[in-house]
Amino acid sequence: MRDDIGQLLWFGFPGPTVDARLRKKLEAGEVGATIVFKRNLVVTDGVTDIDAIIALNRDLHRAAPDGTPALVAVDHEGGVVQRVRAPATHWPPMMRHDALGGDALDIAAKVGRALGDEVRALGFDIDFAPILDVHTNAANPIIGDRAFGTEADAAARRALSFAAGLAAAGVLGCGKHFPGHGDTSTDSHLELPRIDHAWERLEKTELHPFRLAADAQAVAAAPGPIPMIMTAHVVFAAIDASVPATLSHKVVTGLLRERLGYQGVIVSDDLDMKAIAATMGADVAAIGAIRAGCDVLLLCKEEAHQDLAEMALAKECERDSEFRALVGAAARRVRAMKKAHADFTKAHPARGREAIGHADHAALAARLRS
């Protein structure tokens, strides 16, 4: 049970090295993956210390007692959400694909591959990208030009091409934020957004990229272009007006898992975000997200919340055999993804440090930017 719970918990941590607390948890198999943020990087005069990142990620790559490896993740989309800047290639926002015309899909695939080559050369396994949200609200404070377009089908196909490039580089991508954060006017980092569109509009616009992602994942060889989908801390009134998507069984299991047929790993957005944390404890949120159908819980900042979530999951597993079965099934999906990733990366070695900030990547970024 403890081994399974550990696979579900993916944590952020405070500094540029692996502290004693995190090291102990990794070695005990209590953390399935770690997430690297700007606070974990060593940056001097705008230049990131690449040696420090590579050393940090090497230290984070530890195996649980059962042999399951811990993975390392990063948010590296391009534009404003790009953790590692110089000397890595600085990618423009993905909305730039909207101006490219007929060759946008080809360029998206090349960008995904180039960005993925750099991410993997730095020692990361997971990139929480691409954005599958459709940018339909100019007042949206959080998605905006992170999206691949303003029209659902074009944005979806560009994002999936980008994801295929990531996969070819040996990086696990994650489509976000299900079932669509593109038309909100508030930021779920700060408060709980709500979308009141009718089902017909959601099906045509918000859900379309996720439907295509589910279809692509179903037919692809492992690990596939979209091995993970991240949920949104947004209330979708037409589906479930009572709770945000991350905590809704109707949204996560009923819609994503059953209606769209997605069989990959479902990741909660960060449970430390105020859309969740300001309304309930990490214990309630963790149990609610697993019951909704999430496989992985992100707890990116507060160590107290991480401990609370871990204890709550253990107690609920002991109390409720049905919940224990959900945890076991989620852990099996995570382990299967990790095995597929290990098999692929063993067969396809990473590019070396020369990939980081390569001149060809800079030229591709310039083409996207122009």
Side-chain angles (χ1 to χ4, degrees):
M1 182 187 73
R2 293 284 181 176
D3 289 343
D4 285 351
I5 290 172
Q7 293 305 310
L8 278 53
L9 295 171
W10 293 12
F11 289 171
F13 55 100
T17 59
V18 180
D19 60 26
R21 173 185 179 271
L22 179 58
R23 188 184 307 277
K24 182 178 178 181
K25 284 187 169 295
L26 286 168
E27 291 176 348
E30 295 174 358
V31 178
T34 50
I35 309 109
V36 171
F37 290 90
K38 183 178 179 181
R39 64 179 179 267
N40 306 121
L41 307 180
V42 178
V43 182
T44 305
D45 296 327
V47 178
T48 306
D49 187 332
I50 298 302
D51 290 329
I53 297 177
I54 293 172
L56 172 64
N57 288 345
R58 187 181 300 118
D59 203 14
L60 290 167
H61 277 116
R62 295 171 178 271
D66 69 356
T68 306
L71 303 184
V72 186
V74 67
D75 287 281
H76 203 79
E77 302 170 8
V80 296
V81 183
Q82 179 169 329
R83 301 295 182 228
V84 184
R85 301 297 180 96
T89 303
H90 186 196
W91 298 97
M94 294 299 106
M95 183 60 75
R96 294 299 304 167
H97 287 89
D98 219 25
L100 292 177
D103 58 352
L105 294 184
D106 180 60
I107 293 176
K110 290 177 178 177
V111 170
R113 177 60 190 262
L115 186 152
D117 280 341
E118 296 197 28
V119 165
R120 189 172 169 205
L122 290 166
F124 293 104
D125 305 286
I126 297 165
D127 185 5
F128 289 130
I131 290 285
L132 292 177
D133 308 303
V134 185
H135 181 45
T136 56
N137 185 348
N140 191 315
I142 189 60
I143 301 301
D145 63 7
R146 296 165 63 193
F148 279 80
T150 57
E151 189 277 323
D153 192 64
R157 294 185 188 282
R158 294 165 192 161
L160 291 178
S161 292
F162 175 94
L166 279 183
V171 175
L172 295 167
C174 180
K176 55 191 188 185
H177 307 80
F178 183 80
H181 208 322
D183 201 43
T184 62
S185 58
T186 54
D187 179 356
S188 54
H189 290 83
L190 306 176
E191 55 186 301
L192 179 60
R194 179 184 175 95
I195 288 180
D196 290 313
H197 293 313
W199 170 257
E200 291 74 19
R201 151 64 195 249
L202 295 177
E203 192 169 33
K204 179 181 178 181
T205 301
E206 278 76 11
L207 293 179
H208 183 68
F210 295 98
R211 180 180 295 107
L212 294 187
D215 292 344
Q217 191 270 345
V219 300
I226 304 285
M228 291 177 283
I229 285 180
M230 183 182 293
T231 62
H233 299 331
V234 178
V235 172
F236 291 81
I239 309 170
D240 189 342
S242 61
V243 291
T246 300
L247 305 178
S248 171
H249 188 271
K250 293 178 182 178
V251 172
V252 180
T253 297
L255 181 54
L256 180 55
R257 195 66 90 190
E258 295 175 354
R259 184 160 183 166
L260 299 188
Y262 184 68
Q263 296 303 309
V265 171
I266 301 175
V267 181
S268 83
D269 207 344
D270 182 9
L271 298 183
D272 280 332
M273 290 163 59
K274 289 186 179 179
I276 299 294
T279 58
M280 67 187 71
D283 49 353
V284 174
I287 292 170
I290 297 300
R291 287 199 180 279
C294 292
D295 300 309
V296 164
L297 307 177
L298 300 189
L299 290 138
C300 295
K301 187 176 181 181
E302 299 294 337
E303 293 180 354
H305 293 174
Q306 296 170 357
D307 292 340
L308 194 61
E310 182 180 2
M311 289 187 291
L313 294 180
K315 288 180 179 179
E316 193 70 1
C317 282
E318 292 167 354
R319 188 192 70 81
D320 185 341
S321 60
E322 291 184 3
F323 185 81
R324 171 72 184 90
L326 292 175
V327 168
R332 285 192 292 275
R333 279 188 285 270
V334 173
R335 288 192 180 97
M337 181 184 72
K338 288 184 174 184
K339 184 180 186 306
H341 175 64
D343 291 345
F344 185 91
T345 54
K346 183 178 180 180
H348 301 83
R351 290 180 61 186
R353 290 173 60 105
E354 75 279 356
I356 302 166
H358 194 282
D360 290 348
H361 300 174
L364 182 59
R367 183 179 180 189
L368 184 59
R369 193 176 286 113
S370 65

